[in-house]
Amino acid sequence: MTPDILIVIAVLVGAIVLFVTERMRVDVVALLVLLSLALLGVITHRQALQGFSNEAVVTIASVLVLSGGLMRTGVANILGQHVLRLAGHQETRLLAVMMLAVGLMSGIINNIAVGALMLPAVLDIARRTDRPPSMFLMPLAFGSLLGGLTTLIGTSPNILISGALVDSGLRPFSFFDFTPVGLIALVMGTAYMVIVGRRLLPVRDRTRQASRRGAKELDQAYQLPSVLFTLTLPPGSALAGKTLGDVRFRPALGITVMAILRAGKTILAPGARTKLRADDRLVVQGTPGRLSALRSWRQLRLEEDWHVEQDLVTALKFADLTVADGSKLIGRTLEEVDFRGLTGVLVVAITRDGRFRRTRLRRFTLQSGDRLLVVGVPERVEALIGSDDFTNPRTLTADEVARIYALRRRFLAIRVPQESRLAGMSLTETRLRDAFGLSIVGILRESETRLLPEPIETLQAGDLCLVEGRQSDFENLEAMQQLEIDEQGSPTIDTLESDDVGLAEVVLAPRTRLSGKTLREIDFHEKYGLTVVEIWREAQSFTTKLRNMALKFGDALLVYGPREKLNLLAKEPDFLVLTEVERDPLREDKAAVAAVIMAAVVTSVVVGLLPIYIAALAGATAMVVTGCLTAGEAYSSVEWKAVVLIAGMLSLGVAMQQSGAAQMIASSVLGSVATFGPRALIAGLFVITALAAQVMPTAVVAVLMSQIALSSAGDLGLSPHALLMVVAVGSSAAFMSPVGHPVNLLVMGVGGYRFTDYTKVGLPLVVLLLLIVVFILPLIWPLNG
C-alpha cells in the first residue's frame, strides 16, 4: 500500500466520520478534504480546484436555476394542482396519483423543490379528506426520490455519475438513459406504497393545515390547550401601567402572553408596547410551575441602608475602557464571548456616541470606540486594563461613577429571607440576571464579604446581596410573586384567533440559513413580530425554553401573531409557511416562456445539439434575460452549500482514482463478491451504496462510489455504464433514514414521524430496488456490454 493510498483512505475515513456525526457543516468538510489532499501532495493544486469548474457542478447549479424559474412563474404549481385534482378521495388512488405526479415532476425539477412545493397542497388534501397527514407525507418524499431517477437532471447523483464517465473518457449518459430503470422503480415503488407501505405508515392524526379559521385543526394537532392558563393582576399591582416589554414575562416565568382580557374586551397578540392595567386577565402559554417556584422564594426585602451597600461598593474597582480597533470583541456581544465568565468582571454600562446604555447589555453588539464601564475585584479589573482589546483605560471611584453615570440608583441591597427557597440555590439557578435584569455584585454573609461571586455560588438565608439593576426590575419581581392563577376554566385556542390575528404552522425551508441557530440568536420575536408557542420535533412536542432551542431542519413551529406578520413571514426565504397566507404573486405571465425554455433545454440535449452543461447554463441565463427570474432570485435558487460540497469532494474522487485507492477498495470489498458472478457483484455494489446513502449526502455517495464502480468495471471487464446505473439507483435509495435526504427531513416534523418510521417503511422499498437492480437492470443495461 503506497503512502498516497494511505493518505487518501485516512482522508476518506475522516470525511465519513464528520459527515455521519455532523460535527461540521458538510461544505466545510469538503473544503478540508480538498485542502488536505492538495497540501499533502496527493493531487496538484490545480486539480484541487478543478471541481469548481467541473461540468457536473455547472450543470447542477444551472438546473437549480431552471427549477427556480419553473417555480417562480407558477409552472410547477399549475402542474401540481391539476394533477392532484385528478386524485379524488379514495386513499389508494390518492397515494398512487400523488406519488406518480410528484415523481414525474421530479424528473425536470429538483426533488427538494418539488417536495417544498407540494407539501402545503398535500396537507390540504389530508385536511379535506379527514385523513392524517402521516399517511401522505412520507409517500410524498419517497415519490420525489424515485422520480429523480427518471432523467439525467432529476437529481444531483445522476449528473455526477454521468460526469464521472466523461472524466474517464467514456460516453456520458444521455438525458433519457435513466428513464427505463427510473420509471420501473417509480411505478413499482408506488405500487409497493399503495399495497403494502401504507399499512406500515404510522397513523398520527396531526392535521396541521391551518386555514384562516384553522384553530380547530391546530387544537387537535398540538398540545397547546394543555399549556394555556389565565393569570390575574391583583388590585394595586406594581405591573399596572408598565408595558409587556418592561415586565419581561417570557424570561422571568417562561410564559408568553397570548391575549389580554380587559373589561369585556379581548386584546389578541398584544405587543411589547401594550400597557397592563389593574384587574387585567392574561391568557398565557406556559406552565404554572415557574410561578409557583417564584412564590416559594418568599418576599425578598429591599434594604434601605445605603451604608451597607456603600461598604461593598467601596471594595470594588470601577474602570472605563474603550474598545480598541482590531479588538476581537467588535461585532460580537458580551453573551457570545462570555465576557463575565472569561474576565470575572461585570459590564454595568456602555456608552456610544455620548449616549449611555444600562439595560440588556449582554446582547448589545459592540463596535470600535464603545466605552465599557466595568466593575470587579481590583486584580481582575487591572488585568482587563492591560488587555489589547481596550484603549484609554480610566479608573473611577464610586462617587465618580455615581456622578457621571447616575449609577448609584442602579445598586440595590436585597436581603434573602428566612425559609426562602432561594437558600441553597446557585446564582445561575436563580436566573435573577436573565429573568429580571438583576446581577449580584457582592454578598455580605455575617462578617464575610464575597465580591463578584461565581455563578456557582450558593445563596444562604439571611444573605445581604448587593444587586446591580433598576428598582423597577425589583418591583417587577415582587409583583410577579403576587400574580394569581384563575382556576375558573381553561382558555381555548378558539379565543385566540380573529380575522386579524391567528396561528400558523411553519417549517424551515430547504435552503434555510437558520438551522443550528436559536430563536434568541435570530431575534425571531423582535424581527418578525410573531411568537413561537410550540415546536414539534421527532414526534415530540416542546412548549418551554423554546428561545434557547437550536432549530433543526424538519422542525415544525407553531407561531402566533397578526396575520399581516404571517404574510410577511411567508415571503422570507428561510421559512415555509403551511398556512393560507398572502405570498408574493407568481409571474404567471411568464409561465409559457419558462416552459418553452425548459423544453428547449431538454430538446437540445436529447437531439445531441448541445451538451447538458451548456444547454442548462443557456437555459438558466435565458430565465434571467426573459424576466422569469431576477438575477438575485437566480443566485438564491442555487444551493451554494451543495455546490461547494460537490466541488470539494470531486477532488477526493480524483485522488482515489490517481492513487489507486479506488482500485484497491474495489478489489478488496467487491472482489470476493464478484466470484459469485456479475449479479452478485451489482447486488453488493448496490447494498454498499444504499447503506452509505442513509447517513451521508447522496452527492458525496455518488462521487465516491462511481470511482469504485469504474475500477470494478475495468478489473472485471464489465460495462461501466451498467455499474454506474447501479450506483445511481443506490444513491437515491435514501428511504431508511430521515437524515439520508433533505426531502425526508422536510416532512418529518410536519408528519410527526420518528426515525424508526423511515426504517420500517423504507427497508422493504430498498429491498425492492435491490431486486430491480439485480434482475431487471441487466436486461436494459447488459453487464457485459
Side-chain angles (χ1 to χ4, degrees):
M1 189 180 297
T2 66
D4 281 356
I5 292 179
L6 287 173
I7 293 173
V8 170
I9 291 177
V11 171
L12 172 62
V13 171
I16 291 173
V17 170
L18 290 174
F19 283 135
V20 173
T21 59
E22 298 182 345
R23 293 289 182 88
M24 293 182 180
R25 285 171 46 124
V26 292
D27 50 343
V28 175
V29 174
L31 290 176
L32 288 176
V33 167
L34 179 154
L35 291 171
S36 299
L37 295 171
L39 294 175
L40 293 173
V42 179
I43 56 177
T44 66
H45 295 174
R46 184 177 296 274
Q47 287 175 323
L49 298 177
Q50 281 178 349
F52 290 94
S53 60
N54 187 277
E55 297 168 359
V57 174
V58 174
T59 304
I60 290 169
S62 301
V63 167
L64 290 173
V65 175
L66 288 169
S67 296
L70 296 177
M71 299 279 286
R72 194 68 187 83
T73 57
V75 174
N77 203 18
I78 294 169
L79 289 174
Q81 288 179 352
H82 280 294
V83 173
L84 289 179
R85 201 170 288 142
L86 303 173
H89 286 74
Q90 185 183 3
E91 184 173 302
T92 54
R93 183 179 175 183
L94 274 170
L95 278 176
V97 172
M98 181 195 69
M99 287 191 67
L100 290 173
V102 168
L104 293 175
M105 290 175 65
S106 296
I108 57 172
I109 304 175
N110 176 265
N111 48 20
I112 303 175
V114 171
L117 169 72
M118 299 300 290
L119 180 56
V122 172
L123 284 173
D124 185 59
I125 287 176
R127 181 177 61 83
R128 285 191 289 104
T129 59
D130 197 26
R131 289 183 173 90
S134 61
M135 298 298 296
F136 296 101
L137 294 183
M138 194 179 293
L140 166 67
F142 288 178
S144 70
L145 289 175
L146 290 168
L149 286 170
T150 57
T151 67
L152 174 62
I153 64 172
T155 185
S156 298
N158 292 1
I159 299 172
L160 291 167
I161 287 166
S162 182
L165 288 170
V166 174
D167 294 339
S168 298
L170 301 171
R171 178 187 67 81
F173 286 121
S174 67
F175 193 89
F176 289 115
D177 275 350
F178 294 88
T179 305
V181 174
L183 273 181
I184 291 171
L186 175 60
V187 171
M188 294 186 69
T190 301
Y192 156 74
M193 289 301 302
V194 170
I195 298 171
V196 179
R198 67 187 180 91
R199 305 179 191 279
L200 302 177
L201 289 165
V203 180
R204 299 197 179 103
D205 195 0
R206 303 190 63 254
T207 305
R208 294 159 159 274
Q209 176 64 17
S211 62
R212 285 187 63 84
R213 302 296 298 170
K216 181 178 179 181
E217 286 82 7
L218 289 169
D219 196 339
Q220 298 170 350
Y222 284 91
Q223 307 300 317
L224 188 58
S226 64
V227 290
L228 288 177
F229 62 101
T230 305
L231 291 176
T232 301
L233 270 67
S237 172
L239 299 181
K242 295 184 177 181
T243 67
L244 289 176
D246 292 333
V247 176
R248 296 159 54 93
F249 276 119
R250 189 182 298 125
L253 297 177
I255 61 176
T256 300
V257 178
M258 308 280 284
I260 298 177
L261 308 179
R262 175 182 296 165
K265 297 181 179 180
T266 301
I267 303 173
L268 296 176
R273 296 182 179 180
T274 303
K275 286 188 177 181
L276 296 173
R277 296 182 185 177
D279 299 324
D280 275 351
R281 297 174 63 229
L282 312 179
V283 178
V284 300
Q285 178 264 339
T287 56
R290 189 82 68 81
L291 179 59
S292 301
L294 184 64
R295 287 174 174 172
S296 69
W297 289 11
R298 308 286 179 178
Q299 201 68 38
L300 299 177
R301 190 168 71 250
L302 188 63
E303 297 282 349
E304 300 295 341
D305 186 355
W306 170 254
H307 296 294
V308 175
E309 183 178 347
Q310 185 67 24
D311 291 341
L312 288 173
V313 171
T314 304
L316 295 168
K317 185 166 187 173
F318 293 86
D320 189 325
L321 309 172
T322 302
V323 178
D325 294 336
S327 169
K328 62 178 178 290
L329 300 177
I330 295 175
R332 306 179 70 185
T333 65
L334 297 175
E335 183 178 55
E336 289 173 342
V337 299
D338 189 20
F339 190 85
R340 170 77 183 271
L342 291 176
T343 65
V345 170
L346 178 68
V347 177
V348 294
I350 298 177
T351 305
R352 176 181 294 174
D353 298 330
R355 300 179 62 182
F356 296 148
R357 184 184 181 95
R358 303 184 184 91
T359 60
R360 301 181 181 178
L361 302 181
R362 297 178 63 206
R363 302 184 63 197
F364 185 70
T365 302
L366 297 175
Q367 296 179 4
S368 174
D370 286 346
R371 288 166 50 205
L372 276 57
L373 177 64
V374 301
V375 59
V377 295
E379 55 269 23
R380 290 294 185 95
V381 174
E382 288 294 339
L384 198 60
I385 288 175
S387 169
D388 294 335
D389 289 315
F390 300 102
T391 61
N392 304 323
R394 180 176 55 148
T395 58
L396 302 171
T397 66
D399 289 338
E400 289 174 323
V401 169
R403 186 179 72 253
I404 299 172
Y405 289 90
L407 210 58
R408 178 168 295 184
R409 291 173 295 173
R410 298 280 303 179
F411 286 98
L412 310 171
I414 298 176
R415 179 79 64 179
V416 178
Q418 297 293 330
E419 301 179 359
S420 170
R421 191 178 173 185
L422 275 176
M425 294 176 65
S426 69
L427 299 186
T428 300
E429 291 170 335
T430 67
R431 302 184 68 254
L432 280 169
R433 181 173 60 173
D434 292 334
F436 302 100
L438 302 170
S439 298
I440 295 182
V441 178
I443 300 175
L444 184 62
R445 182 176 298 158
E446 296 177 350
S447 60
E448 181 184 7
T449 300
R450 297 170 181 262
L451 298 175
L452 277 183
E454 296 293 331
I456 60 174
E457 178 72 32
T458 301
L459 291 174
Q460 296 182 12
D463 280 352
L464 181 68
C465 302
L466 177 63
V467 177
E468 189 273 324
R470 297 175 298 183
Q471 186 160 338
S472 59
D473 292 330
F474 180 74
E475 292 171 354
N476 290 345
L477 188 157
E478 289 184 306
M480 285 186 194
Q481 292 177 310
Q482 299 168 0
L483 290 172
E484 299 172 356
I485 299 177
D486 189 345
E487 304 291 350
Q488 298 180 1
S490 300
T492 63
I493 291 182
D494 294 298
T495 64
L496 301 178
E497 285 209 323
S498 71
D499 289 338
D500 300 318
V501 177
L503 292 153
E505 187 174 33
V506 177
V507 296
L508 294 181
R511 296 185 180 92
T512 182
R513 301 161 297 174
L514 305 181
S515 183
K517 296 183 178 180
T518 65
L519 294 172
R520 184 176 182 179
E521 288 173 338
I522 63 177
D523 285 329
F524 184 89
H525 181 71
E526 293 77 7
K527 183 176 181 180
Y528 300 110
L530 298 166
T531 299
V532 177
V533 294
E534 189 170 350
I535 295 178
W536 190 271
R537 173 181 296 171
E538 298 178 8
Q540 282 189 291
S541 171
F542 298 89
T543 57
T544 59
K545 301 180 180 179
L546 302 183
R547 282 172 59 81
N548 295 319
M549 281 183 63
L551 297 177
K552 294 172 63 177
F553 185 61
D555 287 347
L557 284 63
L558 182 65
V559 300
Y560 178 68
R563 294 193 188 278
E564 61 177 341
K565 299 293 186 181
L566 294 174
N567 294 339
L568 293 175
L569 187 67
K571 298 173 184 178
E572 288 288 324
D574 289 306
F575 295 100
L576 181 62
V577 178
L578 306 182
T579 306
E580 293 181 9
V581 295
E582 295 179 9
R583 293 176 169 85
D584 286 332
L586 298 173
R587 299 190 184 97
E588 294 181 350
D589 58 319
K590 298 288 184 180
V593 177
V596 169
I597 291 172
M598 192 70 210
V601 170
V602 174
T603 303
S604 63
V605 174
V606 171
V607 302
L609 183 63
L610 293 173
I612 180 63
Y613 54 93
I614 293 297
L617 184 59
T621 305
M623 287 287 187
V624 176
V625 172
T626 58
C628 296
L629 285 175
T630 66
E633 289 169 342
Y635 280 111
S636 63
S637 298
V638 179
E639 191 176 356
W640 295 106
K641 183 169 70 172
V643 170
V644 173
L645 166 68
I646 294 167
M649 293 307 296
L650 283 172
S651 64
L652 182 56
V654 173
M656 289 179 64
Q657 195 66 36
Q658 283 189 178
S659 66
Q663 186 175 7
M664 189 199 74
I665 295 172
S667 300
S668 58
V669 175
L670 297 176
S672 57
V673 179
T675 59
F676 296 97
R679 291 182 187 269
L681 171 67
I682 61 174
L685 180 62
F686 173 84
V687 169
I688 294 172
T689 306
L691 289 177
Q694 310 309 316
V695 293
M696 292 173 59
T698 54
V700 174
V701 174
V703 170
L704 300 180
M705 294 305 299
S706 60
Q707 299 303 321
I708 295 174
L710 286 170
S711 294
S712 296
D715 292 343
L716 302 173
L718 299 177
S719 166
H721 291 82
L723 295 194
L724 285 180
M725 189 62 67
V726 173
V727 172
V729 178
S731 298
S732 293
F735 306 114
M736 296 164 52
S737 160
V739 300
H741 197 278
V743 75
N744 287 347
L745 282 174
L746 179 66
V747 303
M748 186 178 188
V750 188
Y753 298 121
R754 300 186 179 95
F755 193 106
T756 53
D757 293 329
Y758 288 88
T759 306
K760 181 170 64 174
V761 181
L763 178 58
L765 186 53
V766 173
V767 173
L768 176 63
L769 291 186
L770 172 62
L771 296 176
I772 293 174
V773 163
V774 173
F775 296 105
I776 298 178
L777 187 146
L779 301 178
I780 302 170
W781 293 93
L783 297 179
N784 296 314

